[in-house]
Amino acid sequence: MSQDQHDPAEESFSNSHVLDPAATQDSQETINAEMQDIHDAASGETQPRVNFPPYRSSLYRHPTKSMHHADPETIELWSPAFGNRDVHTLESDLTIQGQGEPLGERIVVRGKILDGDGRPVRNQLVEIWQANASGRYVHKRDQHPAPLDPNFTGVGRTITGDDGSYEFTTIKPAPYPWKNHHNAWRPAHIHFSLFGTDFTQRMITQMYFPGDPLFSLDPIYQSITDQKARDRLVATYDHNVSTHEWNTGYYWDIVLSGSNRTWMEGDTDAH
Amino acid sequence: MRIDQNQLDAARSGDERLVPTPGQTIGPFFGYADGYDQVHLPFRDGNHLVNPARPDAVRLTGTVYDGNGDPIPDAMLEIWQADAEGQIPQETGSLVRDGWTFTGWGRATVDNVGTYTFSTVNPGPTEEGKAPFIHLVVFARGLLNKLHTRIYLPEDTAALEKDALLSSLDADRRSTLIAERRADGSLLFDVHLQGEKETVFLQFPGIEYPDHA
């Protein structure tokens, strides 16, 4: 089979930019200028734009019509219930899934899940997934030539405590290249999947590490046009979460959009 | 970031709400890993709210399309619904399907041609005379935040007429939210992220979609 008859199912790092119609050879400077223009015209936004052309994959994947305002009804005022039946305690430690220790910097990420009124989100499912210490995901479509780690899958789950707290032990992920534009690199991040008390609060986001030099260059992070809002995705280094001769520590609180339920007296108690 | 005690006190006393953490795209790497039993977000039987062999099992299926009309091969969908009697499930156990417990929630990834499939039951009306619907949330690579919508059952036309959301939409837009019932009892519901047939997506109080006023 010649090069130009390449089977599209056989994706490799060298041809995947062809298979991904959104991948471009644009320069970082081009992307930066586009991001700057959008930021200059925006102010005070709290969520990412779904229409953010510097993130090329978003071009044909965002709604163009107005979001339709709706009042949540019945089922939407509740969330599915998860508990210890669903998740084993050990699933929050991503460093013990293999036969041996994974490579990289062992970290603990700890924080609370709250709603807009400061109520802790209790007994809810938190899922994370991430690249390893070399910037590689365990995934058939990640062909970045960095080593896989046989002792690290990069996947964890936990159930929040009564005070909305969660904690994961993992390895600090590395940045990795992607095909949005020429020489594009994602800042190191951990993906978080979250449930609230209402299904309308369901969200997926990414946690970043403080001081990452790639922040200003990344169209996914910069799709949030306001610096204060972007800062909400960045964990804080916390020496109280670090432990002696074992791990460094990060702290990250997550706030879900407000619950629309009618809460009873006592439900708002701080624990 | 850390929410400090002053912010927390202000939120709990009702003075100033905490601003929600922004969403981000699910990215490309949420859903597949060769040689591992259970990794990333998809899990065994995640799309089977009930065993497909059950006599009352309903197949809910459709395709997710982009603005060019091309199927999207890397989306993840979740549904959340009442049971056949209209009761809201609060049983745990979604992640370890025992084949008997109806938890009301399911997760499916689309295949290479953008098609998703759930096995579920027809939700009953949660109140007398209400139009039954399945809530759907969509995540995808290239989609920077989650999108919510509703999948209405087509049968109870009187209830559909009276539905607050549907009656606020013109006929074309409204039709994007009503599933098609096929002869074998299955429900067909396509999702169009963009374009002429763009699905109506919902914005609930408390979340902002900037530039989508």
Side-chain angles (χ1 to χ4, degrees), chain B residues 2-213:
Chain B
R2 181 194 286 273
I3 305 294
D4 67 35
Q5 196 58 46
N6 291 339
Q7 287 173 285
L8 206 51
D9 291 344
R12 285 177 175 160
S13 64
D15 290 344
E16 193 164 354
R17 293 197 117 191
L18 300 174
V19 181
T21 306
Q24 290 271 264
T25 180
I26 191 171
F29 300 131
F30 57 86
Y32 181 90
D34 234 346
Y36 293 82
D37 291 338
Q38 172 101 34
V39 297
H40 300 186
L41 294 179
F43 57 96
R44 191 186 304 274
D45 291 335
N47 59 336
H48 292 163
L49 287 77
V50 299
N51 189 319
R54 241 171 73 164
D56 62 343
V58 171
R59 178 181 180 212
L60 166 63
T61 187
T63 303
V64 184
Y65 295 99
D66 70 11
N68 291 324
D70 293 327
I72 290 180
D74 42 16
M76 187 181 89
L77 278 62
E78 289 179 2
I79 60 170
W80 168 231
Q81 63 166 89
D83 67 15
E85 280 74 50
Q87 299 297 311
I88 293 166
Q90 286 294 286
E91 295 271 2
T92 64
S94 292
L95 299 183
V96 285
R97 302 280 190 209
D98 65 7
W100 300 98
T101 310
F102 185 76
T103 65
W105 174 80
R107 173 181 285 169
T109 50
V110 296
D111 62 18
N112 291 335
V113 290
T115 299
Y116 71 90
T117 301
F118 289 98
S119 165
T120 187
V121 294
N122 290 317
T126 49
E127 290 164 39
E128 183 83 26
K130 278 246 183 203
F133 64 83
I134 295 168
H135 190 95
L136 175 70
V137 63
V138 181
F139 304 96
R141 181 179 70 86
L143 179 60
L144 281 156
N145 212 346
K146 47 91 178 267
L147 294 174
H148 291 277
T149 190
R150 289 180 186 169
I151 303 170
Y152 283 89
L153 305 192
E155 282 81 16
D156 190 344
T157 49
L160 293 172
E161 284 297 324
K162 284 187 300 186
D163 184 82
L165 170 61
L166 292 178
S167 48
S168 68
L169 295 164
D170 64 43
D172 266 11
R173 299 281 286 148
R174 180 187 141 110
S175 67
T176 69
L177 299 185
I178 303 172
E180 177 191 333
R181 181 80 67 183
R182 294 189 295 195
D184 64 358
S186 62
L187 288 166
L188 178 66
F189 187 87
D190 289 336
V191 177
H192 294 266
L193 294 184
Q194 197 184 80
E196 267 179 44
K197 291 191 266 184
E198 189 176 303
T199 305
V200 171
F201 296 106
L202 305 176
Q203 179 169 4
F204 292 101
I207 179 142
E208 183 194 14
Y209 284 92
D211 204 28
H212 266 80

Side-chain angles (χ1 to χ4, degrees), chain A residues 230-270:
Chain A
R230 287 196 293 274
D231 288 345
R232 295 190 181 105
L233 293 181
V234 183
T236 308
Y237 172 75
D238 187 336
H239 204 61
N240 292 317
V241 183
S242 296
T243 57
H244 182 65
E245 293 186 356
W246 189 248
N247 68 274
T248 53
Y250 291 88
Y251 195 92
W252 188 49
D253 285 328
I254 302 160
V255 179
L256 305 182
S257 56
S259 163
N260 290 292
R261 264 202 235 173
T262 307
W263 289 82
M264 300 300 174
E265 193 77 23
D267 283 347
T268 55
D269 285 355

Side-chain angles (χ1 to χ4, degrees), chain A residues 195-250:
Chain A
F195 291 78
T197 51
D198 306 16
F199 201 63
T200 55
Q201 297 171 303
R202 177 84 181 92
M203 79 175 298
I204 285 179
T205 189
Q206 302 181 22
M207 186 207 88
Y208 299 92
F209 292 87
D212 197 311
L214 295 167
F215 280 156
S216 64
L217 309 176
D218 178 44
I220 293 181
Y221 178 69
Q222 298 291 339
S223 67
I224 305 154
T225 60
D226 185 68
Q227 183 67 52
K228 263 173 32 194
R230 287 196 293 274
D231 288 345
R232 295 190 181 105
L233 293 181
V234 183
T236 308
Y237 172 75
D238 187 336
H239 204 61
N240 292 317
V241 183
S242 296
T243 57
H244 182 65
E245 293 186 356
W246 189 248
N247 68 274
T248 53
Y250 291 88

